[in-house]
Short mmCIF file of all heavy atoms in Angstrom, two decimals:
data_model
loop_
_atom_site.label_atom_id
_atom_site.label_comp_id
_atom_site.label_asym_id
_atom_site.label_seq_id
_atom_site.Cartn_x
_atom_site.Cartn_y
_atom_site.Cartn_z
N LEU P 7 -67.49 -9.57 -32.30
CA LEU P 7 -67.63 -8.28 -32.95
C LEU P 7 -68.19 -7.24 -31.98
O LEU P 7 -67.72 -6.10 -31.97
CB LEU P 7 -68.54 -8.39 -34.18
CG LEU P 7 -68.66 -7.11 -34.99
CD1 LEU P 7 -67.29 -6.69 -35.52
CD2 LEU P 7 -69.64 -7.29 -36.13
N HIS P 10 -65.41 -6.17 -29.78
CA HIS P 10 -64.50 -5.34 -30.56
C HIS P 10 -65.06 -3.93 -30.74
O HIS P 10 -64.34 -2.94 -30.55
CB HIS P 10 -64.27 -5.99 -31.92
CG HIS P 10 -63.73 -5.05 -32.94
ND1 HIS P 10 -62.42 -4.65 -32.94
CD2 HIS P 10 -64.32 -4.42 -33.98
CE1 HIS P 10 -62.24 -3.80 -33.93
NE2 HIS P 10 -63.37 -3.65 -34.58
N GLU P 11 -66.32 -3.82 -31.10
CA GLU P 11 -66.92 -2.50 -31.32
C GLU P 11 -66.92 -1.67 -30.05
O GLU P 11 -66.62 -0.47 -30.08
CB GLU P 11 -68.34 -2.66 -31.87
CG GLU P 11 -68.36 -3.13 -33.30
CD GLU P 11 -69.76 -3.46 -33.80
OE1 GLU P 11 -70.69 -3.59 -32.98
OE2 GLU P 11 -69.91 -3.58 -35.03
N HIS P 14 -63.37 -0.61 -29.35
CA HIS P 14 -62.96 0.36 -30.37
C HIS P 14 -63.53 1.75 -30.06
O HIS P 14 -62.79 2.74 -30.10
CB HIS P 14 -63.42 -0.10 -31.75
CG HIS P 14 -63.17 0.89 -32.83
ND1 HIS P 14 -61.92 1.10 -33.34
CD2 HIS P 14 -63.99 1.75 -33.47
CE1 HIS P 14 -61.98 2.04 -34.27
NE2 HIS P 14 -63.23 2.45 -34.37
N ARG P 36 -57.46 -5.98 -31.07
CA ARG P 36 -58.00 -6.35 -32.37
C ARG P 36 -57.49 -7.72 -32.83
O ARG P 36 -58.21 -8.49 -33.44
CB ARG P 36 -57.70 -5.27 -33.41
CG ARG P 36 -58.61 -4.07 -33.20
CD ARG P 36 -58.02 -2.80 -33.77
NE ARG P 36 -58.91 -1.67 -33.59
CZ ARG P 36 -59.04 -1.00 -32.46
NH1 ARG P 36 -58.38 -1.35 -31.38
NH2 ARG P 36 -59.86 0.04 -32.39
N THR P 39 -59.59 -10.18 -31.12
CA THR P 39 -60.91 -10.26 -31.75
C THR P 39 -60.86 -11.13 -32.99
O THR P 39 -61.71 -12.00 -33.19
CB THR P 39 -61.42 -8.84 -32.10
OG1 THR P 39 -61.53 -8.08 -30.91
CG2 THR P 39 -62.77 -8.90 -32.80
N VAL P 40 -59.87 -10.90 -33.84
CA VAL P 40 -59.73 -11.69 -35.06
C VAL P 40 -59.50 -13.16 -34.71
O VAL P 40 -60.09 -14.07 -35.32
CB VAL P 40 -58.61 -11.13 -35.97
CG1 VAL P 40 -58.29 -12.08 -37.11
CG2 VAL P 40 -59.02 -9.76 -36.52
N ILE P 43 -62.72 -14.78 -33.65
CA ILE P 43 -63.59 -15.05 -34.80
C ILE P 43 -63.09 -16.27 -35.57
O ILE P 43 -63.87 -17.13 -35.96
CB ILE P 43 -63.69 -13.81 -35.72
CG1 ILE P 43 -64.44 -12.68 -35.00
CG2 ILE P 43 -64.38 -14.15 -37.03
CD1 ILE P 43 -64.41 -11.34 -35.73
N ASP P 49 -65.77 -18.47 -42.30
CA ASP P 49 -64.96 -18.19 -43.48
C ASP P 49 -64.43 -16.76 -43.36
O ASP P 49 -65.18 -15.80 -43.52
CB ASP P 49 -65.82 -18.34 -44.74
CG ASP P 49 -65.08 -17.98 -46.02
OD1 ASP P 49 -63.87 -17.70 -45.97
OD2 ASP P 49 -65.74 -17.97 -47.08
N MET P 50 -63.15 -16.61 -43.09
CA MET P 50 -62.55 -15.30 -42.85
C MET P 50 -62.53 -14.44 -44.11
O MET P 50 -62.36 -13.24 -44.03
CB MET P 50 -61.14 -15.45 -42.29
CG MET P 50 -61.06 -16.11 -40.93
SD MET P 50 -61.94 -15.22 -39.63
CE MET P 50 -60.88 -13.80 -39.41
N TYR P 51 -62.67 -15.05 -45.29
CA TYR P 51 -62.65 -14.30 -46.54
C TYR P 51 -64.05 -14.05 -47.10
O TYR P 51 -64.20 -13.31 -48.06
CB TYR P 51 -61.80 -15.03 -47.58
CG TYR P 51 -60.38 -15.20 -47.13
CD1 TYR P 51 -59.93 -16.40 -46.60
CD2 TYR P 51 -59.47 -14.15 -47.20
CE1 TYR P 51 -58.63 -16.56 -46.17
CE2 TYR P 51 -58.17 -14.29 -46.77
CZ TYR P 51 -57.76 -15.50 -46.26
OH TYR P 51 -56.47 -15.64 -45.83
N GLY P 52 -65.05 -14.68 -46.50
CA GLY P 52 -66.41 -14.53 -47.01
C GLY P 52 -67.37 -13.88 -46.05
O GLY P 52 -68.41 -13.35 -46.46
N ASP P 53 -67.06 -13.89 -44.76
CA ASP P 53 -67.94 -13.33 -43.74
C ASP P 53 -67.65 -11.84 -43.58
O ASP P 53 -66.52 -11.45 -43.28
CB ASP P 53 -67.72 -14.06 -42.41
CG ASP P 53 -68.65 -13.56 -41.33
OD1 ASP P 53 -69.79 -14.04 -41.28
OD2 ASP P 53 -68.21 -12.69 -40.55
N LYS P 54 -68.66 -11.00 -43.76
CA LYS P 54 -68.46 -9.55 -43.72
C LYS P 54 -67.91 -9.09 -42.37
O LYS P 54 -67.02 -8.24 -42.31
CB LYS P 54 -69.77 -8.81 -44.01
CG LYS P 54 -69.57 -7.30 -44.02
CD LYS P 54 -70.84 -6.55 -44.33
CE LYS P 54 -70.74 -5.07 -44.30
NZ LYS P 54 -69.63 -4.41 -43.71
N LYS P 55 -68.42 -9.64 -41.28
CA LYS P 55 -67.94 -9.23 -39.96
C LYS P 55 -66.48 -9.62 -39.75
O LYS P 55 -65.71 -8.85 -39.17
CB LYS P 55 -68.83 -9.81 -38.88
CG LYS P 55 -70.21 -9.19 -38.89
CD LYS P 55 -71.12 -9.79 -37.87
CE LYS P 55 -72.50 -9.16 -38.00
NZ LYS P 55 -73.48 -9.74 -37.15
N ALA P 56 -66.10 -10.78 -40.25
CA ALA P 56 -64.70 -11.20 -40.14
C ALA P 56 -63.81 -10.30 -40.98
O ALA P 56 -62.74 -9.87 -40.54
CB ALA P 56 -64.56 -12.66 -40.57
N ILE P 57 -64.26 -10.00 -42.19
CA ILE P 57 -63.49 -9.12 -43.08
C ILE P 57 -63.32 -7.75 -42.44
O ILE P 57 -62.22 -7.18 -42.44
CB ILE P 57 -64.17 -9.01 -44.46
CG1 ILE P 57 -64.09 -10.35 -45.19
CG2 ILE P 57 -63.55 -7.91 -45.30
CD1 ILE P 57 -64.98 -10.45 -46.42
N ASP P 58 -64.39 -7.22 -41.85
CA ASP P 58 -64.32 -5.91 -41.19
C ASP P 58 -63.36 -5.94 -40.00
O ASP P 58 -62.61 -4.98 -39.78
CB ASP P 58 -65.71 -5.45 -40.75
CG ASP P 58 -66.60 -5.06 -41.91
OD1 ASP P 58 -66.09 -4.87 -43.04
OD2 ASP P 58 -67.83 -4.96 -41.69
N ALA P 59 -63.38 -7.03 -39.23
CA ALA P 59 -62.48 -7.14 -38.08
C ALA P 59 -61.03 -7.18 -38.54
O ALA P 59 -60.16 -6.55 -37.91
CB ALA P 59 -62.82 -8.38 -37.25
N VAL P 60 -60.74 -7.88 -39.62
CA VAL P 60 -59.38 -7.95 -40.16
C VAL P 60 -58.96 -6.57 -40.67
O VAL P 60 -57.84 -6.12 -40.40
CB VAL P 60 -59.26 -9.02 -41.27
CG1 VAL P 60 -57.94 -8.90 -42.00
CG2 VAL P 60 -59.43 -10.40 -40.67
N LYS P 61 -59.83 -5.90 -41.38
CA LYS P 61 -59.51 -4.54 -41.88
C LYS P 61 -59.23 -3.60 -40.72
O LYS P 61 -58.33 -2.76 -40.79
CB LYS P 61 -60.65 -4.00 -42.74
CG LYS P 61 -60.71 -4.62 -44.11
CD LYS P 61 -61.86 -4.02 -44.92
CE LYS P 61 -61.94 -4.66 -46.29
NZ LYS P 61 -63.07 -4.14 -47.07
N ASP P 62 -60.00 -3.73 -39.64
CA ASP P 62 -59.78 -2.88 -38.47
C ASP P 62 -58.43 -3.17 -37.82
O ASP P 62 -57.72 -2.26 -37.41
CB ASP P 62 -60.93 -3.06 -37.48
CG ASP P 62 -60.97 -1.97 -36.45
OD1 ASP P 62 -60.76 -0.78 -36.80
OD2 ASP P 62 -61.23 -2.28 -35.27
N LEU P 63 -58.07 -4.46 -37.75
CA LEU P 63 -56.74 -4.84 -37.22
C LEU P 63 -55.65 -4.25 -38.10
O LEU P 63 -54.66 -3.70 -37.59
CB LEU P 63 -56.61 -6.36 -37.15
CG LEU P 63 -55.22 -6.91 -36.83
CD1 LEU P 63 -54.71 -6.39 -35.49
CD2 LEU P 63 -55.24 -8.42 -36.86
N GLN P 64 -55.81 -4.33 -39.41
CA GLN P 64 -54.81 -3.77 -40.32
C GLN P 64 -54.67 -2.26 -40.14
O GLN P 64 -53.56 -1.73 -40.10
CB GLN P 64 -55.17 -4.12 -41.76
CG GLN P 64 -55.05 -5.59 -42.06
CD GLN P 64 -55.61 -5.96 -43.42
OE1 GLN P 64 -56.43 -5.24 -43.99
NE2 GLN P 64 -55.17 -7.09 -43.94
N ALA P 65 -55.80 -1.56 -40.02
CA ALA P 65 -55.76 -0.10 -39.84
C ALA P 65 -55.09 0.27 -38.52
O ALA P 65 -54.28 1.20 -38.46
CB ALA P 65 -57.17 0.48 -39.90
N ALA P 66 -55.40 -0.47 -37.46
CA ALA P 66 -54.78 -0.22 -36.16
C ALA P 66 -53.28 -0.47 -36.22
O ALA P 66 -52.48 0.28 -35.64
CB ALA P 66 -55.42 -1.10 -35.07
#
Side-chain angles (χ1 to χ4, degrees):
L7 184 61
H10 162 75
E11 288 173 345
H14 174 75
R36 284 156 179 80
T39 299
V40 170
I43 292 171
D49 176 5
M50 296 299 289
Y51 300 100
D53 183 84
K54 182 179 178 345
K55 291 177 183 175
I57 292 168
D58 289 345
V60 169
K61 285 181 181 178
D62 195 41
L63 171 58
Q64 292 171 339

